[in-house]
Amino acid sequence: CPQWVRFSLQGVVLAVTVLLSAHACMKTHPYQLSYYNGFVGGTRGAAEAGFTVSYWYDALNREAVEKINRLADVEGVFVYSYPNKDILGWNKWLGNMKKSVYPADRAENADYVLLIHRIVPSALRQSLDGLPREFVITATDRTPLLEMIRIR
């Protein structure tokens, strides 16, 4: 093969690789941390296979914080966050959450459960089945990443 053919082929492979990666980023924005490739079926396939689809709280974004803060407009609300019960306290400390959003130490002591879709214990999942969802944040393929569930 002439050198210019090898150089052109390398350029095409590089361009295709970059374009595929850019497409994946644009397709999953703003939840790039929840990306899984097509070999697993994307984010939905990963969730169905039991993989962690929302690990670093990428779904607890400005939209979700505003929705939580609106729930606390009328009166204070107690929220239990799974799997990290401290995330709301950290957001209050950073000034993102209203002072009337109180972190609860257990689901039984809360008005709402903020559920980040990681590997959720079946007992917790069963106790929340059928309860009303205040809001759900989903990936672009409609896979749930975060839910706010009213428990009382």
Side-chain angles (χ1 to χ4, degrees):
C1 257
Q3 185 174 353
W4 69 269
V5 171
R6 279 185 291 180
F7 181 73
S8 296
L9 184 58
Q10 291 170 344
V12 168
V13 169
L14 178 64
V16 167
T17 302
V18 169
L19 288 173
L20 288 173
S21 296
H23 178 264
C25 282
M26 291 182 333
K27 185 177 162 188
T28 58
H29 181 75
Y31 307 112
Q32 289 90 338
L33 293 176
S34 298
Y35 168 77
Y36 281 86
N37 71 34
F39 291 115
V40 216
T43 307
R44 180 166 303 285
E48 290 170 357
F51 289 99
T52 298
V53 294
S54 183
Y55 186 78
W56 289 106
Y57 289 88
D58 56 338
L60 188 59
N61 57 15
R62 182 177 298 141
E63 175 190 0
V65 168
E66 288 172 358
K67 289 179 179 190
I68 295 168
N69 283 334
R70 276 196 296 273
L71 292 172
D73 273 348
V74 178
E75 57 188 56
V77 293
F78 287 86
V79 180
Y80 174 72
S81 177
Y82 182 85
N84 185 340
K85 65 182 175 67
D86 298 323
I87 194 70
L88 296 176
W90 295 339
N91 274 279
K92 281 177 74 169
W93 182 78
L94 291 169
N96 298 330
M97 291 282 174
K98 287 186 173 181
K99 292 182 181 190
S100 54
V101 176
Y102 304 106
D105 59 341
R106 298 173 35 169
E108 298 81 21
N109 301 333
D111 302 308
Y112 297 91
V113 170
L114 180 67
L115 184 65
I116 308 295
H117 280 263
R118 290 177 60 183
I119 298 172
V120 180
S122 58
L124 177 60
R125 171 66 62 200
Q126 289 172 356
S127 71
L128 300 173
D129 280 347
L131 295 175
R133 272 51 181 167
E134 287 294 324
F135 64 86
V136 179
I137 303 290
T138 62
T140 53
D141 67 356
R142 314 296 284 156
T143 303
L145 300 176
L146 177 143
E147 294 180 76
M148 182 68 121
I149 304 162
R150 178 181 280 280
I151 58 173
R152 59 176 165 164

